[in-house]
Amino acid sequence: MGAGVSLGGGSSGNKSNLNRSAAMFRSASQLSLSRSSSSRRLKFLNFEKTNTDQTEDDFEEDDRTVRRVKPVLGRSITEVAVRGTSLQVDIASLGLGFGKTLTVESSHPFHVEVRYEDNKKKRPINVSLGKIIKFNLADNPVVFIDALRDAPRHIKITLAFNTKHSGMDDHTTNELTAVIRLGIMSLSLDIDADRDGIIERNSNFKNVWERGRENYGAVVITKYHTDPPHPGHPQTRQKISEAKKHRLKRNCSKMTQLLIRSRGPIPPRGWTLHVSFPNKSTRSFLYVYRRVPTTDQSEQILGPGIVDLESTDIGFTDSRDLPLWVTGQTYTRDYSENVLHSNETFSIDMVLKYHGNEAYKDTVKCRLSPLIISPCTQPAVNVYVSGANTQLLQIMGRISKEPKSFKVVNLALSEECTHPKNCMLMGYTDSPSLILPVVLTRDSPQLTDNITRTLNQTDGDFQVCLSQDKQTPFQRIIATPPIGSRYKLGCLLIADIGVDDRPSNGTYWIQQFLQCHRIQPIVTISTAWMENPDITSVVNFVPADKKLHQRGFKIVMPDTHTTYNILKHLQAGGLGNVPIFVGKHRDMQSATTTGNQILDNHEVWNDSFYFQQFIDQNKQLMITQLGVDPDDFIYLPMLWTRSERNSEKARPYMPNATNMIVLDSHIVIPRLCGPIVQGTDKFEDYVQQQIRSLTTQQRDIHYIDVWTDSIRSVDDDVVVQRQIPLPTKWWEITGRE
């Protein structure tokens, strides 16, 4: 027999030293196990090797995972235990006599610890291996074997009983033995819990999720590039087709890795290893894949599209590390109510089963990576320009030739959407180990195909997210720069178009979609008073030197008063008759006028100041909700007039300088066609002074003509992909969201 320890009685020499070493090792192992078990809620599992039928009454809560087994006298039984769990050996089932002693021996004394619960003294008693102890079956019907350490081979544990029968001589004894051939394995489901990009072994924090720089919680990269089946949709109740399975295959490099680590002997027949979801709602959000051995692709084993399956048997392999990949979606759509739902965190279980009964479970908790929209103050990486706008392509081409500049990509769309800004929105999603650009676009096959082919011309991976609404107006969304410690990833400003914001309207869907991420708070900007609602015609952002402006940016807004002051200043200098809007037309008539004529046009000023009140309300709203100051704004000249189709709606009376394209040290602004004095457009000169005052560096202003038969937005034909990620990681943010 192997080395052993006993309770009561003495020991000598080398055996005593061995026992002391084993005790020291077990103390250290107990400390490690107690820390490990603190991160998981373990269950007391009541099932036996000879009886696999389980009932709810057989399960009760305990501080460790315990499985009941029945030994057999004179025979060896093979059992499996996971490190950190226990076997409850049912001694009463052996049918022993009244008086007895017990000796427990192990071939690997450092790998197990034996104890029993003294029902009379109400406390646990440790059994020293190899020593004879008195053992009262009436008070102590069970013995516990704690698995402290995995072993490469099976461990032999011998239970030797010396029994005395009533009526027999005291010296007449009968030694009976029961042998347990125990395979102890180390088994864990691991994920990057401390968010450092490395998968730790059996981390104590893998089943918790808290925000903060020093906190823990795994992040699963979200897939936005498909429109998978959703709960409540008929497709989820049908068996998934082979074609759909093929489309669901994904590149593992764009997913988050899970790792099942195991050491020790492979369990015999009857034992199975499963990956499962603890509830049905998780199945709607998470996808789990494993690699197909013969290909570089992966097959989905759990998640949306896998009908009525919340657990799958992944089997045991000779490899000690079994990689899995997980990704997810942050929302599902209830088609009956036409609303979006989100969930905060999700759990994934790894379950070891014996004849279908749970013997051990390990759990990781994760959160899906949200979609983050980059602000226009971030440096440009790729600029996508509509091929129809040759003027803008030429300007962008000149700027892009500078060192460390961006790449210009000619973008062809579709008949359904001719302006990139209306049908594309750039953002990103990130985890500690992966950063992926995300392109939101409308659900149109031709449009999606054109955008995907265009994106393939650029470097790096990307995801294309399809809107649930083909009319989603992406031009109504803009992200603010980070605002102090309150909004470290900024906020999203979304144009509110008033009574048209019904569930069937695209703005409703995109607002619900972005809101479910709970990272960039949404602030609604009033644009219901505009004939063509465009968020950048109401508010925009320009980067500024922090040495000059603490926030690092300025908020740009159109202002009627600024226009009035410029024209009055020209009039006072005797320049009131300088022509304005030369060569331009409005409503099929010449728009050429003078400063004096505009100042005398009461209709223009009445209209402009009427619509200015909505702009001022938006300004006050941002001061209140974003926590910015009045000094954080700059104002550019603008005038408005009433729409002929709807007198309650505003249309631009002149090009809107607020509607600019910010490209690092370059800014593209619509040509304002203002009064020209000594070769200088006074409107444009005022804008240049305001923009260049924000930095001590060189800042170039480029102008583009947007006034033909009507006045367009300068950024209609361009979408800018910004540098990612932002300096602050979303999982580090605590407090108000």
Side-chain angles (χ1 to χ4, degrees):
M1 283 185 185
V5 193
S6 70
L7 185 63
S11 170
S12 62
N14 294 334
K15 197 171 186 179
S16 176
N17 293 334
L18 180 62
N19 294 341
R20 283 196 295 270
S21 299
M24 292 174 62
F25 176 82
R26 286 193 295 272
S27 298
S29 299
Q30 281 182 311
L31 179 60
S32 175
L33 288 172
S34 65
R35 290 175 178 171
S36 179
S37 62
S38 66
S39 67
R40 302 184 295 276
R41 186 164 188 172
L42 304 176
K43 294 199 302 184
F44 185 96
L45 306 178
N46 175 23
F47 69 4
E48 303 168 355
K49 182 179 178 63
T50 57
N51 180 16
T52 61
D53 294 332
Q54 294 286 305
T55 65
E56 287 293 327
D57 296 335
D58 291 330
F59 292 81
E60 60 187 47
E61 294 292 330
D62 198 89
D63 62 347
R64 71 184 78 202
T65 303
V66 181
R67 189 168 62 86
R68 292 175 179 168
V69 298
K70 288 183 179 180
V72 180
L73 288 175
R75 285 177 49 191
S76 172
I77 65 172
T78 301
E79 284 295 341
V80 174
V82 179
R83 175 183 175 180
T85 67
S86 299
L87 291 182
Q88 178 180 314
V89 184
D90 188 359
I91 305 299
S93 66
L94 295 175
L96 300 173
F98 294 102
K100 59 192 162 299
T101 61
L102 170 65
T103 304
V104 182
E105 295 188 347
S106 171
S107 60
H108 295 68
F110 296 105
H111 291 69
V112 295
E113 185 174 77
V114 182
R115 58 187 170 86
Y116 66 90
E117 299 291 334
D118 192 320
N119 294 337
K120 183 177 292 186
K121 296 181 179 180
K122 303 298 182 182
R123 64 185 179 89
I125 305 296
N126 288 334
V127 177
S128 298
L129 300 179
K131 293 185 179 180
I132 301 174
I133 64 170
K134 292 182 179 181
F135 194 78
N136 189 332
L137 181 61
D139 295 332
N140 315 299
V142 296
V143 170
F144 294 93
I145 300 176
D146 300 331
L148 302 180
R149 184 181 182 187
D150 57 87
R153 297 178 299 277
H154 285 80
I155 296 172
K156 183 180 179 182
I157 300 175
T158 304
L159 306 176
F161 303 92
N162 285 319
T163 62
K164 156 174 95 167
H165 301 279
S166 57
M168 300 180 66
D169 186 85
D170 289 344
H171 299 286
T172 303
T173 60
N174 184 25
E175 183 172 285
L176 303 173
T177 61
V179 177
I180 299 176
R181 186 171 174 267
L182 181 61
I184 302 178
M185 62 185 303
S186 174
L187 187 62
S188 64
L189 178 63
D190 294 332
I191 197 169
D192 178 17
D194 61 0
R195 305 190 281 241
D196 63 352
I198 300 173
I199 300 178
E200 304 83 20
R201 181 178 293 276
N202 204 21
S203 169
N204 294 339
F205 307 101
K206 61 185 178 183
N207 196 20
V208 298
W209 213 103
E210 294 182 3
R211 291 191 186 209
R213 185 182 296 272
E214 303 299 328
N215 288 329
Y216 299 87
V219 177
V220 169
I221 201 74
T222 303
K223 69 175 200 174
Y224 296 97
H225 52 271
T226 60
D227 184 15
H230 302 282
H233 192 274
Q235 185 176 354
T236 61
R237 296 193 292 269
Q238 300 173 358
K239 192 171 183 63
I240 191 167
S241 65
E242 290 300 320
K244 183 66 175 178
K245 286 182 182 178
H246 180 73
R247 289 195 298 270
L248 285 172
K249 292 180 179 179
R250 296 291 174 237
N251 190 332
C252 294
S253 65
K254 298 180 184 178
M255 302 184 195
T256 299
Q257 189 177 34
L258 288 171
L259 203 55
I260 295 180
R261 290 188 168 112
S262 65
R263 292 186 306 188
I266 296 178
R269 181 178 299 179
W271 292 85
T272 55
L273 187 61
H274 295 252
V275 174
S276 63
F277 295 145
N279 51 62
K280 291 184 178 180
S281 64
T282 305
R283 189 181 67 187
S284 305
F285 291 91
L286 294 186
Y287 300 75
V288 179
Y289 295 83
R290 64 180 171 190
R291 188 182 295 277
V292 179
T294 57
T295 68
D296 290 332
Q297 292 182 319
S298 297
E299 62 176 350
Q300 183 184 357
I301 58 177
L302 284 177
I306 306 298
V307 181
D308 297 328
L309 185 61
E310 297 169 27
S311 177
T312 184
D313 182 1
I314 60 174
F316 293 96
T317 64
D318 293 334
S319 174
R320 292 312 187 188
D321 291 341
L322 176 61
L324 299 174
W325 286 267
V326 60
T327 184
Q329 58 185 15
T330 56
Y331 67 94
T332 59
R333 184 167 184 171
D334 186 330
Y335 281 79
S336 60
E337 298 180 5
N338 197 32
V339 296
L340 300 172
H341 303 282
S342 68
N343 209 345
E344 180 72 9
T345 57
F346 304 94
S347 295
I348 305 173
D349 294 335
M350 176 200 66
V351 183
L352 180 65
K353 294 184 178 181
Y354 180 64
H355 289 294
N357 296 296
E358 182 180 307
Y360 178 77
K361 182 173 72 174
D362 201 5
T363 301
V364 297
K365 186 173 288 188
C366 59
R367 182 174 177 185
L368 299 175
S369 62
L371 176 68
I372 299 172
I373 308 300
S374 300
C376 63
T377 52
Q378 285 289 102
V381 176
N382 294 306
V383 178
Y384 302 91
V385 184
S386 171
N389 195 329
T390 56
Q391 184 184 184
L392 188 58
L393 273 173
Q394 291 175 359
I395 292 176
M396 294 298 177
R398 289 198 302 268
I399 300 174
S400 64
K401 291 180 181 179
E402 295 187 5
K404 298 182 180 180
S405 188
F406 50 81
K407 180 179 181 180
V408 178
V409 182
N410 191 328
L411 179 62
L413 297 175
S414 67
E415 295 179 357
E416 301 176 20
C417 184
T418 57
H419 299 297
K421 180 182 174 182
N422 296 348
C423 52
M424 289 179 64
L425 182 65
M426 305 292 294
Y428 73 93
T429 187
D430 67 330
S431 69
S433 58
L434 187 62
I435 304 169
L436 282 176
V438 178
V439 182
L440 278 77
T441 187
R442 297 177 182 175
D443 188 2
S444 164
Q446 181 184 358
L447 178 63
T448 305
D449 182 63
N450 290 341
I451 289 177
T452 302
R453 283 191 286 106
T454 302
L455 292 173
N456 285 333
Q457 303 175 28
T458 62
D459 298 330
D461 293 325
F462 60 88
Q463 295 190 37
V464 176
C465 177
L466 302 183
S467 165
Q468 296 287 339
D469 195 307
K470 294 185 178 181
Q471 302 302 318
T472 300
F474 293 110
Q475 75 274 18
R476 297 175 184 167
I477 303 167
I478 188 174
T480 75
I483 304 175
S485 59
R486 187 178 184 184
Y487 301 117
K488 293 183 178 180
L489 290 174
C491 299
L492 295 179
L493 306 184
I494 296 184
D496 175 14
I497 60 173
V499 296
D500 292 329
D501 272 338
R502 298 182 297 271
S504 60
N505 186 277
T507 302
Y508 178 86
W509 182 88
I510 191 62
Q511 182 163 339
Q512 294 296 312
F513 170 75
L514 295 172
Q515 197 165 25
C516 80
H517 297 279
R518 301 181 61 193
I519 291 297
Q520 294 174 293
I522 292 177
V523 177
T524 302
I525 298 297
S526 173
T527 58
W529 50 276
M530 300 177 67
E531 183 179 50
N532 297 308
D534 185 350
I535 190 74
T536 57
S537 294
V538 179
V539 58
N540 217 325
F541 300 89
V542 178
D545 287 354
K546 286 195 173 183
K547 294 180 180 179
L548 301 177
H549 305 279
Q550 185 177 3
R551 294 197 186 278
F553 66 89
K554 282 284 190 175
I555 305 172
V556 183
M557 299 193 78
D559 185 59
T560 299
H561 301 85
T562 300
T563 313
Y564 181 82
N565 292 336
I566 294 174
L567 294 178
K568 289 295 288 185
H569 179 75
L570 290 173
Q571 187 182 60
L575 301 173
N577 290 320
V578 175
I580 303 177
F581 311 144
V582 177
K584 301 302 176 183
H585 293 79
R586 182 183 294 108
D587 300 329
M588 307 298 293
Q589 297 180 359
S590 175
T592 304
T593 184
T594 65
N596 289 338
Q597 289 174 335
I598 294 177
L599 288 172
D600 293 337
N601 191 333
H602 298 292
E603 182 179 355
V604 169
W605 295 110
N606 288 337
D607 292 346
S608 295
F609 282 116
Y610 172 77
F611 293 119
Q612 182 65 40
Q613 66 178 329
F614 300 110
I615 298 173
D616 293 340
Q617 290 173 5
N618 287 327
K619 171 188 171 182
Q620 190 59 44
L621 178 71
M622 287 188 285
I623 292 175
T624 303
Q625 296 200 19
L626 301 183
V628 295
D629 302 320
D631 293 340
D632 294 325
F633 293 81
I634 61 173
Y635 308 99
L636 303 184
M638 184 57 191
L639 292 174
W640 306 90
T641 185
R642 293 182 183 271
S643 168
E644 292 185 349
R645 290 179 292 181
N646 186 343
S647 61
E648 295 300 316
K649 302 286 186 178
R651 65 171 180 170
Y653 183 80
M654 58 180 285
N656 189 346
T658 302
N659 177 240
M660 62 179 66
I661 305 172
V662 180
L663 301 168
D664 309 335
S665 60
H666 299 269
I667 296 181
V668 180
I669 296 177
R671 186 160 292 285
L672 301 183
C673 308
I676 298 177
V677 178
Q678 296 180 351
T680 301
D681 185 314
K682 289 301 180 179
F683 286 166
E684 294 176 0
D685 183 59
Y686 179 85
V687 172
Q688 288 189 35
Q689 292 178 25
Q690 294 296 309
I691 298 300
R692 288 175 175 165
S693 67
L694 305 180
T695 178
T696 57
Q697 305 297 321
Q698 174 69 25
R699 177 164 283 172
D700 296 326
I701 311 294
H702 307 268
Y703 296 96
I704 185 170
D705 191 356
V706 297
W707 192 345
T708 53
D709 294 334
S710 60
I711 301 174
R712 299 178 291 106
S713 296
V714 71
D715 58 352
D716 275 350
D717 293 325
V718 63
V719 172
V720 182
Q721 181 183 346
R722 303 287 176 176
Q723 188 180 92
I724 57 175
L726 292 172
T728 302
K729 301 297 184 181
W730 62 266
W731 55 82
E732 297 176 353
I733 298 176
T734 58
R736 178 175 177 177
E737 298 182 0

